[in-house]
Amino acid sequence: MHTRDWANEALPKLRIEGSSSSSTVAPTPATTLPTPTTVSAMTKEQPTTPQKTYSPVRKLRSRSRSRSPRKRASPEAVFSWSSESSPEVRNKKGRRKNKKKVKKFETTAKMAQRAERFSQPSLRKRIPQDGDDAIDWTVYSIFGRCQEIEKPYLRLTSAPDPETVRPVEVLKKALRRVQEKWVQTHDYNYACDQLKSIRQDLTVQCVRDEFTVKVYETHARIALEKGDHEEFNQCQNQLKALYEDGILGSNNEFLGYRILYYLFTQNSLDMAQVLAHLSSESHRDPTVAHAVKVRSAWALRNFVRFFQLYRRSPAMSGYLLDMFLPRERKWALKAILKS
């Protein structure tokens, strides 16, 4: 570095031009054709290509190419079976057609039988038109001839037999016997079985009078006394329909029971309908008035007033309040703890 004369040194541009002019182009050697020995040597010296990576798409393509085309059956093989051969020998398509034809034939035969059955005049019921008189359903009812006072309840699975149905006179005796045995033994299974049997005989004979109301009221009171709310609900629904038909009974008493039952089930919609249609006469009844007061205390969560009314329950209202009294006690205890 210190030995070079930088003052007389040529510029870089002049140095590059001088070096390019002094260089000479080297002659290219003559091209010669490769011999077989040189070709083999060159192939040996060439580097090996890297292995191909796995590709699922490429593998699927190779499989589809290598798979042979599906063989189609010849026309001779397809139509080789004759119409005289058995159904087992025929192909699946032929068997399906046979099944469809048989099913269609069976359906047509059934439809023909149904049309013939309903075309009989004895089985056809005339639909009443406007202006016709009301249908007398007593024509289709039966009249019992059984004289047994006690009869077990059996669910009907066929048309009722008059020989096994008791007339109204026998049913009145059966009701008196059930009431006497209930007072003596308090056997609820026996009483419920006999009362359901009496109700069934009244239903098949289309008897809807004051005696029917008395049977349902007796069954409802016994169910209340034993805490069977499901049986009581069935009886009070039937009593509601009988009262609406104008048949007299303990209407106001069971109206109060119905309000308390709606409190038990928390059915506010039906309760609102009952309260909206209460008459002044119903409000004067002690059972209905008590039920309305209980409903007001229950809605306002006035537990002190609620338990006071529980102690002064008229008739059999206390049995209905016993059904949901534990629930109200829990709510009262929660209110006390919160305060």
Side-chain angles (χ1 to χ4, degrees), residues 50-98:
Q51 295 182 356
K52 296 181 180 180
T53 57
Y54 173 76
S55 176
V57 179
R58 188 180 300 168
K59 190 172 183 179
L60 289 174
R61 289 176 179 174
S62 62
R63 285 184 180 180
S64 61
R65 291 171 184 171
S66 61
R67 188 175 297 173
S68 59
R70 184 177 295 177
K71 295 182 179 180
R72 297 185 178 181
S74 59
E76 293 79 10
V78 173
F79 300 101
S80 59
W81 59 275
S82 60
S83 60
E84 299 177 356
S85 60
S86 60
E88 290 80 4
V89 182
R90 297 180 179 180
N91 59 2
K92 293 182 179 179
K93 185 179 291 187
R95 287 199 294 270
R96 289 173 185 169
K97 289 183 178 180
N98 291 337

Side-chain angles (χ1 to χ4, degrees), residues 37 42 55 59 65 74 82-83 96 105 147 171 177-178 242 256 262 277 291 307 313 328:
T37 55
M42 290 172 62
S55 176
K59 190 172 183 179
R65 291 171 184 171
S74 59
S82 60
S83 60
R96 289 173 185 169
F105 175 76
Q147 298 299 319
L171 293 176
R177 177 170 295 186
V178 170
L242 292 170
Y262 290 153
H277 293 85
F307 290 112
S313 301
E328 300 301 322

Side-chain angles (χ1 to χ4, degrees), residues 187-200:
D187 187 359
Y188 180 68
N189 293 329
Y190 168 81
C192 184
D193 181 73
Q194 292 299 314
L195 288 170
K196 290 176 75 172
S197 179
I198 294 172
R199 287 162 47 187
Q200 185 183 67

